[in-house]
Amino acid sequence: MITPVLPTYNRAQVSFVRGEGARVFTDDGTAFLDFGAGVAVTSCGHAHPHLVKALTEQAQKIWHTSNIYQMPGQEKLARRLIESTFAETVFFCNSGAEALECSIKMARRHHFVNGAPERNQIITFEGAFHGRTLATISAGGQEKYLEGFAPRMPGFVQLPFGDMQALAAAITPETAGILIEPVQGEGGIRPLPHAGLKALRDLCDKHGLLLILDEVQTGVGRTGKLFAHEWAGITPDIMAVAKGIGGGFPLGACLATENAAKGMTAGTHGSTFGGNPLATAVGNAVLDVVLADGFLDNVRDTALYLKQKLAGLKDAHPEVIEDIRGEGLMLGIKCKVPNTSLQAAAVAEKLLTIGAGDNVVRLLPPLVITRADVDEALQKLDRACKALTPRAA
Ligand SMILES: *Cc1c(COP(=O)(O)O)cnc(C)c1O
């Protein structure tokens, strides 16, 4: 018999009733150290007092009005995002996939109003993940997400990750833009080298293409900069943001330059819930935390400490760990055992992690973790690795 909730998830046999900072608790009070943050979402940790205050204060005023009225909270959040990024305009939605949908529509529409409607093909990369809507599973191109959902939406051309030669050859008079994650998340924490991102920017400039970055997972401080592309010293034309920006409240955003967004006039796009007063109150509170003096310095510092410790873990457990990779607090443990085994062993130690492609275990802790949290996580990982290592007789 089918379950009450559509059975599309492989759920772990555990549920949490409360969270505080980097820890979540089951109803019997058992604490788990949360190095998954609900897949890079609870950027400020669980029940951050400033976020709780922003949400509850807004909840007592007004929850929802509709985008048919002026939205002061949205405007404030948009202005702050613009002040801290390349962007000149922002569209608000509720999820990563929707932020990508807006990005894709915007890119097509840009060329349409430029008198080149045939420029509607977007180049994406193998291993990508852009969401689960019909357009974004086509953009991501992963067979496991496409199977049974034919017909595949046209308009996407997929190339090997980071293959610059294939890329130059794939650009045609129909190409609208290039869509890429600066660090592939679901694909297994695969960072595009900074030089690669620069080369993409150059190619886009040369051919009049729009560079669309999917920073749904890498954004909002995750890699130690507000957005990951800052490490490469380039800016995109369009950027999809979600996950960390809401700190646990569903909020997504599509950021763009005025030029990229030139086709998005009144009536061309919309959302009922997108950027409602509750969501933007929380989004503004997240920015208060992440943009505070020294916050990102601290993320970089803690991230470096975590990465060094993980390098030590790898040396101590060469039978379990093949490699450590990633940027900031978006790190991957490439496993020699099945990644699900390491994850299960970590859960037995009360440590939560997230799986990924390429046999990787993802560490995506809240950005507020301390060195003491890192030390505790590493002790748990060390015990998890030991439990997986066949003892010499
Ligand atoms: C999670 C994710 C998405 C999809 O976000 P949803 O909120 O699940 O729709 C898109 N792109 C990347 C890189 C992601 O990590």
Side-chain angles (χ1 to χ4, degrees), residues 95-97 100 129-131 181 214 216-217 243:
S95 66
L100 268 303
F129 182 80
H130 300 300
E181 298 154 82
D214 180 347
V216 169
Q217 196 163 147
K243 294 200 164 102

Side-chain angles (χ1 to χ4, degrees), residues 124-283:
T124 67
F125 296 90
E126 169 266 313
F129 182 80
H130 300 300
R132 299 294 205 107
T133 60
L134 287 169
T136 55
I137 57 175
S138 295
Q142 294 201 39
E143 225 23 80
K144 65 177 172 178
Y145 298 134
L146 284 160
E147 190 192 39
F149 299 119
R152 192 169 165 165
M153 181 178 286
F156 302 99
V157 178
Q158 193 155 70
L159 303 177
F161 186 63
D163 185 338
M164 290 302 152
Q165 266 170 350
L167 182 58
I171 293 171
T172 72
E174 269 102 63
T175 310
I178 299 172
L179 167 60
I180 194 165
E181 298 154 82
V183 181
Q184 281 190 347
E186 303 291 320
I189 310 291
R190 297 201 296 169
L192 186 71
H194 298 164
L197 214 44
K198 281 208 186 82
L200 287 185
R201 178 70 272 175
D202 290 343
L203 263 183
C204 285
D205 290 341
K206 187 172 158 204
H207 296 278
L209 309 178
L210 297 170
L211 179 59
I212 309 165
L213 292 184
D214 180 347
E215 291 234 26
V216 169
Q217 196 163 147
T218 53
V220 197
R222 178 57 47 194
T223 69
K225 297 271 191 193
L226 188 58
F227 290 101
H229 65 263
E230 295 170 34
W231 287 111
I234 59 109
T235 59
D237 301 291
I238 302 174
M239 176 169 74
V241 177
K243 294 200 164 102
I245 187 71
F249 199 96
L251 176 63
C254 172
L255 281 65
T257 62
E258 181 172 9
N259 176 51
K262 68 196 283 190
M264 304 305 283
T265 49
T268 54
H269 195 49
S271 166
T272 296
F273 295 122
N276 89 0
L278 283 176
T280 52
V282 179

